[in-house]
Amino acid sequence: MHHMVEGPRTALLAQLRRGTLEYCVLALLDGGERYGLDLVRQLGQVEGMMTSEGTVYPLLSRLRRDGLVATTWRESPSGPPRRYYQLTSDGRQALDAFAKEWASFRDAVDHFLDAGGDHDEHDRG
Amino acid sequence: MMNTTVADQLVAGYLARLDAALSDLPAARREELLEQVREHIATARAELGDEAGEAQIRTLLDRLGDPATIAAEAGERPAEPTPARPGWREIGALVLLPIGGIVIPVIGWFIGVALLWSSDHWSARSKLIGTLVVPGGLALPLALGSFATWTEHCSSNPEPLGGARESVCTGGPPGWWEILGPVTFGLLLLAPIATVIYLGLQLRRGPSIAPAMS
């Protein structure tokens, strides 16, 4: 029920996700610590953010190894103890830097996407 | 529930497949990933409650995705092979190619060439350049320079009756050599040095792999 059709769109999304999904994770943690399942569900609410829920965990491990995210084990009010993920100060810096780059990158892409129509008019005029 | 249920079997099967798919990872990373996924499943099952049926577990595992996909994501940034650092072989080649032929006449340069070709730090193209520019290295222009010193004989004919003194020289270098000689000599002198710099820069670049993003 969660399978995507393999094809150009999947490949395109994979390309777009590469390098951006981790910042979405950092952004989610900017609002406070979260446990794995919670994070995965938040990401899953927006279609196209991840290939499958399980692929978020290798990403979280990587962020932890890179020092952008820290983990703590804690008893949970219900169920087994959970691993909570928190943003570190390095993580916050990385997120801020990305947010700036992303804004100008998005504007640059929009510039060309929006300018597409104008160009044709000039050519024919 | 004490009995092993179908749900437990499904989960155990999934974790076993994930474990197998992660076999290329270092043990610590593999264990961490398995722990994360185990916890994901346990937390989700706790929320589903005791009445969690087989179908719900299947959906849960289906959403986690193919273990191979998770393994692929985990292996996306594999440990980079550290390029071997240049060693005595490369340094020896860089020293002997230009001046080896001077230190140990002729043989020194050949040792340099042997070191150059036995190293895996240079491409075949770089090795050809290192060999052909210039064979013998700096020994070649030096040897040519000593051969090309012409012995010049000049004799002056004294003209006692007010005529211009005329000197006649024989055995000097031909006219074209006056200009071409120094140019050729200069090029032969500079080329081996340029080659060494080129080969040295290739070494620094090394079999480069883009540094990991952090």
Side-chain angles (χ1 to χ4, degrees):
Chain A
M1 65 177 48
H2 207 66
H3 295 297
M4 266 191 219
V5 183
E6 284 293 324
R9 183 168 170 271
T10 314
L12 174 65
L13 279 177
Q15 291 286 337
L16 291 176
R17 268 197 302 265
R18 201 179 305 279
T20 52
L21 180 57
E22 62 190 84
Y23 293 101
C24 297
V25 170
L26 294 181
L28 274 174
L29 294 175
D30 202 21
E33 62 173 17
R34 286 174 190 274
Y35 59 96
L37 186 63
D38 180 20
L39 256 176
V40 165
R41 283 191 183 144
Q42 296 293 326
L43 288 169
Q45 282 181 358
V46 183
E47 201 212 333
M49 277 318 294
M50 52 189 180
T51 324
S52 69
E53 292 182 347
T55 57
V56 176
Y57 291 107
L59 177 65
L60 283 169
S61 309
R62 193 155 63 221
L63 291 173
R64 188 193 57 75
R65 285 201 306 280
D66 288 345
L68 304 183
V69 155
T71 56
T72 40
W73 272 84
R74 213 167 320 128
E75 294 295 327
S76 76
S78 64
R82 293 167 185 168
R83 193 182 303 239
Y84 284 85
Y85 299 86
Q86 299 111 6
L87 200 60
T88 63
S89 59
D90 278 358
R92 186 161 285 111
Q93 275 179 25
L95 177 61
D96 290 346
F98 176 80
K100 287 199 191 84
E101 292 297 332
W102 176 256
S104 61
F105 180 72
R106 179 193 56 209
D107 290 348
V109 173
D110 283 351
H111 171 78
F112 290 109
L113 290 180
D114 296 344
D118 302 343
H119 177 71
D120 279 353
E121 281 164 30
H122 284 306
D123 269 4
R124 285 165 199 153
Chain B
M1 248 179 284
M2 294 299 289
N3 292 336
T4 306
T5 64
V6 178
D8 288 334
Q9 284 171 13
L10 283 173
V11 170
Y14 182 86
L15 289 172
R17 273 181 288 135
L18 181 62
D19 191 19
L22 295 174
S23 60
D24 285 345
L25 283 187
R29 286 180 55 189
R30 179 178 176 176
E31 195 46 51
E32 182 184 13
L33 264 173
L34 281 168
E35 274 302 321
Q36 288 170 308
V37 173
R38 215 175 276 143
E39 186 192 306
H40 175 106
I41 296 170
T43 312
R45 283 183 78 179
E47 285 179 8
L48 284 170
D50 278 343
E51 74 275 19
E54 189 188 326
Q56 279 162 304
I57 297 297
R58 283 191 193 280
T59 305
L60 172 63
L61 299 179
D62 196 35
R63 288 169 67 97
L64 268 172
D66 187 351
T69 314
I70 300 174
E73 181 69 30
E76 191 131 289
R77 207 180 57 177
E80 286 147 15
T82 38
R85 302 194 66 122
W88 59 269
R89 195 189 299 275
E90 288 71 33
I91 294 162
L94 287 183
V95 172
L96 289 179
L97 281 173
I99 63 167
I102 301 169
V103 179
I104 316 167
V106 186
I107 300 165
W109 180 76
F110 278 103
I111 298 173
V113 171
L115 291 176
L116 174 72
W117 284 88
S118 63
S119 165
D120 52 7
H121 279 264
W122 287 294
S123 65
R125 181 167 162 270
S126 297
K127 288 173 180 174
L128 266 181
I129 291 172
T131 310
L132 298 178
V133 187
V134 173
L138 290 172
L140 181 74
L142 291 186
L144 284 181
S146 54
F147 274 123
T149 9
W150 273 272
T151 33
E152 217 174 326
H153 298 288
C154 295
S155 51
S156 299
N157 303 331
E159 290 271 340
L161 292 173
R165 261 172 106 93
E166 196 184 319
S167 52
V168 178
C169 299
T170 52
W176 55 266
W177 182 254
E178 301 281 355
I179 303 155
L180 274 184
V183 173
T184 312
F185 187 74
L187 282 179
L188 285 177
L189 216 53
L190 286 178
I193 296 167
T195 302
V196 167
I197 293 171
Y198 166 77
L199 291 176
L201 288 177
Q202 299 276 306
L203 271 191
R204 280 184 65 188
R205 207 172 304 149
S208 66
I209 294 163
M213 201 179 74
S214 58

